[in-house]
Amino acid sequence: MRILITGRQGQVGTCLTEKLSHEASFEVLALTKTELDITDQARVNEVVYDFSPNIIINAAAYTAVDKAEEQVQLAYGINRDGPSYLAKVSQQIGATLLHISTDYVFDGNKLEEYVETDATKPLGIYGQSKLAGELAVAEFCEKHIILRTSWVFGEYGNNFVKTMLRIGAVREQLNIVGDQFGGPTYAGDIADSLIEIAKKIEKDNEIPYGVYHFSGLPQLSWYEFADFIFEQASAQGVITSKPILGKISTEEYPTLAKRPANSRLKVDKLTESFSIEASNWKAAMSDLKKYIG
């Protein structure tokens, strides 16, 4: 079983590459953006035909939510066109495409958790470009899994946990948005989920293709998430003292792009289809020293 990974240096791509290096049954080709720019269709076709993977995992994405409002063409190139090229060549060679998407395809106005069949209505360019990528994958590749996730963090790349630890080390007080809610999701758990799906594909021809949600429990606000991070960081000696936190509204913290107020994703479909449970994000924060640097 051959697996091609795009976006090797991203949060999920790095975890995938490391974890799959211990899986003897898979032959893995993991490529960085420099090695495979997914917006270059000719290069995508060249790499895929040469390696002839059974599974392609697209971990490449444009994730700068605010910058996307200004870099529209670049965001769509990476989030829509790249997945479209991967989907088309996957269909041509009979490969399965596993594609990572986001909670930002929703507007966040629903009161309950979002399920896969809920209407999409992204608020900004990032979400719109990711939704366009989803639609392209579904249109051009019959054998596809779209995995929507939220609030991704991990030891690699830039994320909320690493930012809080960096700021918390030098600030005695800071304000955090308290009216946006979601499920933090550990990048390593996303990687594990994709690997479990790949193993099922390896063993079973009857795969329930389509859209799935994967995120963490318990769900909470950014304010509550930050509070937990600082509680743990203080207890683990990562910071000398816990900063004083103030809770502010979204309106009090204006950003270029609008964020969904509700990013809570229901993961039952993934659990029922692949026996994959929600991300245990608290367990992933038992050693916060890994997130420093």
Side-chain angles (χ1 to χ4, degrees):
M1 177 72 73
R2 291 180 300 279
I3 297 181
L4 171 65
I5 300 170
T6 67
R8 189 186 78 188
Q9 291 180 323
Q11 291 193 81
V12 178
T14 303
C15 291
L16 269 170
T17 304
E18 194 278 327
K19 288 174 180 290
L20 281 170
S21 68
H22 304 294
E23 297 282 348
S25 64
F26 293 119
E27 180 183 350
V28 180
L29 177 61
L31 301 177
T32 66
K33 178 184 176 181
T34 303
E35 293 165 330
L36 176 57
D37 179 355
I38 64 169
T39 68
D40 183 340
Q41 187 173 18
R43 176 62 178 157
V44 167
N45 290 344
E46 178 187 10
V47 168
V48 172
Y49 275 109
D50 182 59
F51 184 59
S52 190
N54 306 98
I55 297 172
I56 297 175
I57 303 179
N58 181 32
Y62 182 103
T63 58
V65 176
D66 290 315
K67 286 184 179 179
E69 297 298 312
E70 300 173 329
Q71 298 180 327
V72 178
Q73 186 175 352
L74 180 60
Y76 271 93
I78 299 171
N79 291 343
R80 177 195 61 194
D81 299 343
S84 171
Y85 302 150
L86 290 167
K88 289 175 180 177
V89 74
S90 294
Q91 181 72 15
Q92 290 167 11
I93 68 168
T96 300
L97 177 59
L98 309 185
H99 176 69
I100 303 170
S101 193
T102 175
D103 56 292
Y104 276 66
V105 299
F106 299 115
D107 62 12
N109 291 332
K110 185 180 179 181
L111 298 179
E112 299 85 17
E113 293 174 305
Y114 279 97
V115 297
E116 290 80 358
T117 54
D118 281 329
T120 52
K121 190 179 179 183
L123 298 174
I125 297 300
Y126 168 66
Q128 291 165 12
S129 65
K130 289 295 291 182
L131 177 58
E134 286 190 12
L135 296 173
V137 167
E139 178 180 359
F140 296 119
C141 182
E142 181 182 355
K143 297 193 296 183
H144 69 270
I145 298 286
I146 295 168
L147 194 69
R148 292 178 183 146
T149 188
S150 65
W151 294 21
V152 181
F153 73 93
E155 300 91 336
Y156 311 106
N158 298 314
N159 56 70
F160 185 77
V161 174
K162 296 180 78 170
T163 299
M164 289 300 101
L165 293 175
R166 185 176 66 252
I167 296 174
V170 297
R171 294 269 296 275
E172 295 182 355
Q173 186 172 349
L174 64 155
N175 295 322
I176 306 293
V177 172
D179 58 357
Q180 295 175 21
F181 297 86
T185 312
Y186 177 52
D189 290 342
I190 299 173
D192 285 338
S193 297
L194 292 166
I195 292 169
E196 284 302 309
I197 293 170
K199 288 179 177 179
K200 184 171 178 63
I201 291 170
E202 182 183 26
K203 298 176 182 177
D204 190 354
N205 289 326
E206 298 298 323
I207 299 297
Y209 298 111
V211 180
Y212 291 87
H213 289 171
F214 179 72
S215 65
L217 292 174
Q219 297 160 337
L220 71 181
S221 68
W222 286 116
Y223 172 85
E224 292 167 322
F225 190 26
D227 187 63
F228 182 87
I229 293 167
F230 291 130
E231 285 281 0
Q232 291 298 307
S234 179
Q236 295 174 29
V238 175
I239 58 176
T240 54
S241 61
K242 180 184 174 182
I244 299 170
L245 297 185
K247 184 188 298 185
I248 60 173
S249 67
T250 298
E251 290 182 355
E252 293 175 284
Y253 188 74
T255 55
L256 197 58
K258 292 182 179 179
R259 268 77 171 165
N262 175 24
S263 288
R264 295 176 298 146
L265 303 177
K266 195 172 185 63
V267 302
D268 291 19
K269 181 184 175 184
L270 188 68
T271 303
E272 292 166 3
S273 298
F274 293 97
S275 300
I276 295 171
E277 300 292 337
S279 174
N280 184 355
W281 60 266
K282 286 188 175 181
M285 299 176 69
S286 60
D287 182 11
L288 286 172
K289 291 184 177 67
K290 297 187 297 183
Y291 298 84
I292 302 296

